[in-house]
Amino acid sequence: MIWAVTFNPSLDITWHVPDVEKPISYVTRAVHRAGGKGNNVARAIRTLGGTVTAVGPYGGAVGQAIQTLLNRQGIPVLSVDIPDDNRICVALAGTGNAVTEIREQGPMVSVVALERLLVRLVERVSPDDWVTLSGSLPSGLSAEIYFNWVKFLRPKVAGVIVDTAGDNLRAALRANPTAVTPNEEEALALLAENLNGDTYVLVTRGAQGVTLYGQNQAPKMWQAPHVEMVNSVGAGDAFLGGLVYALANGSGWEDAIILAVAAGSASVRHFGIADFDPEDVLRLIAHVTRIQ
Ligand SMILES: Nc1ncnc2c1ncn2[C@@H]1O[C@H](COP(=O)(O)OP(=O)(O)OP(=O)(O)O)[C@@H](O)[C@H]1O
Ligand SMILES: [Mg+2]
């Protein structure tokens, strides 16, 4: 089983509005998705045929809607109740691929609620399970949350992989996660850090692919296949979904990375965030090349 944690889930609404500048605009197509980075990872795992539970704090009618969307895709939810509604994020898609994103900040979530959620998760995990921790924290919460979640989960499961940025990433690293998956910009935060040799650092580089650092070995790099780019938002979540799906199915790291790169690249061909065709992933695997 894979557990995909989202600390600040959202209801992602994409409105296709060809003439948004008019006084009254009509939506020609609306898409509702369970969002927040961990939920994107969960959807990617399901697309590949894996078994995953989404984990997060949920509240109000918006929280209900997000959980219903997850359930409809075959993703059960392990939640803790919070008093306020989860956030809504709207993407206004104009003509071409131009998108304006409007993001709510999200509700306050208490430290106690997240502790309760962590206890629930620790009670349920098995030694063969994998956990992903993704994205930002609800406002006002300290990066120590990331440290604690890695510290308590890491000894109980096969692996904990963290995809976050800044202080959250640094705090997570202090607790020695199995791997972290920052993009190039996020990885700059690690330059001054003393990286522990046990943690794999996978720096994703968009169209360039990915570099693997860690285990005191020379870096290894894979070039992503060339694909026509429609929308690269969420490519990192598709990458992480592919990575943990393969690892949970017993693949070694290098095979898992190749599948992850193929999933990330397959996702940029689609407008929907972290959406891809699993047949595309199988086809692209042959075009992921080791270059270093
Ligand atoms: N333009 C592209 N062409 C081919 N593959 C791409 C492209 N952009 C991203 N990818 C694939 O997706 C993976 C992750 O991409 P990227 O480094 O952009 O993640 P990210 O910045 O974390 O994305 P996000 O946080 O929006 O999900 C890359 O390693 C690569 O395999
Ligand atoms: Mg990312």
Side-chain angles (χ1 to χ4, degrees):
M1 165 69 83
I2 303 167
W3 306 84
V5 180
T6 311
F7 292 110
N8 195 6
S10 76
L11 173 59
D12 285 356
I13 300 176
T14 303
W15 281 337
H16 294 262
V17 193
D19 44 10
V20 71
E21 62 287 344
K22 292 191 176 166
I24 297 180
S25 307
Y26 290 94
V27 174
T28 54
R29 186 166 166 247
V31 180
H32 297 175
R33 275 195 192 80
K37 299 198 95 38
N39 286 338
N40 296 343
V41 172
R43 288 189 288 102
I45 294 165
R46 275 305 294 150
T47 304
L48 290 165
T51 308
V52 57
T53 298
V55 181
Y58 287 96
V62 180
Q64 278 302 328
I66 301 168
Q67 293 181 76
T68 302
L69 287 164
L70 287 164
N71 291 163
R72 272 190 205 155
Q73 289 197 300
I75 303 170
V77 181
L78 176 67
S79 69
V80 66
D81 288 336
I82 54 170
D84 295 326
D85 276 271
N86 292 99
R87 62 189 171 136
I88 298 177
C89 296
V90 178
L92 289 177
T95 38
N97 295 326
V99 178
T100 303
E101 282 196 46
I102 301 159
R103 297 183 181 178
E104 282 184 27
Q105 211 172 12
M108 301 291 277
V109 176
S110 69
V111 173
V112 173
L114 282 188
E115 271 173 10
R116 202 174 300 143
L117 185 59
L118 175 57
V119 169
R120 283 184 192 170
L121 180 55
V122 168
E123 279 170 4
R124 282 166 179 77
V125 292
S126 309
D128 291 342
D129 291 354
W130 286 77
V131 178
T132 64
L133 306 177
S134 302
S136 57
L137 293 172
S139 48
L141 290 182
S142 127
E144 286 308 292
I145 303 266
Y146 259 99
F147 175 81
N148 284 329
W149 279 62
V150 176
K151 190 177 97 178
F152 281 101
L153 287 163
R154 182 66 197 88
K156 308 261 179 207
V157 295
V160 177
I161 308 182
V162 175
D163 184 24
T164 188
D167 288 346
N168 294 333
L169 176 56
R170 282 189 287 266
L173 273 166
R174 280 196 283 109
N176 299 329
T178 312
V180 294
T181 58
N183 64 21
E184 265 187 310
E185 196 186 328
E186 293 158 352
L188 293 177
L190 304 180
L191 285 180
E193 299 294 306
N194 267 329
L195 289 180
N196 177 298
D198 287 347
T199 298
Y200 281 121
V201 179
L202 285 154
V203 180
T204 62
R205 305 185 190 279
Q208 301 304 311
V210 62
T211 308
L212 166 69
Y213 302 88
Q215 308 264 324
N216 300 315
Q217 293 171 16
K220 295 177 181 168
M221 190 170 174
W222 287 262
Q223 171 74 50
H226 179 73
V227 294
E228 200 164 326
M229 213 252 283
V230 177
N231 183 5
S232 69
V233 176
D237 303 331
F239 175 94
L240 178 51
L243 182 75
V244 72
Y245 164 80
L247 292 168
N249 281 294
S251 293
W253 279 88
E254 298 202 4
D255 286 342
I257 289 168
I258 289 168
L259 183 95
V261 170
S265 301
S267 78
V268 309
R269 299 185 61 227
H270 289 256
F271 187 80
I273 294 163
D275 287 353
F276 56 84
D277 175 351
E279 296 286 322
D280 242 10
V281 177
L282 294 179
R283 190 178 57 77
L284 289 175
I285 279 176
H287 300 275
V288 179
T289 43
R290 173 87 189 272
I291 53 172
Q292 187 182 306

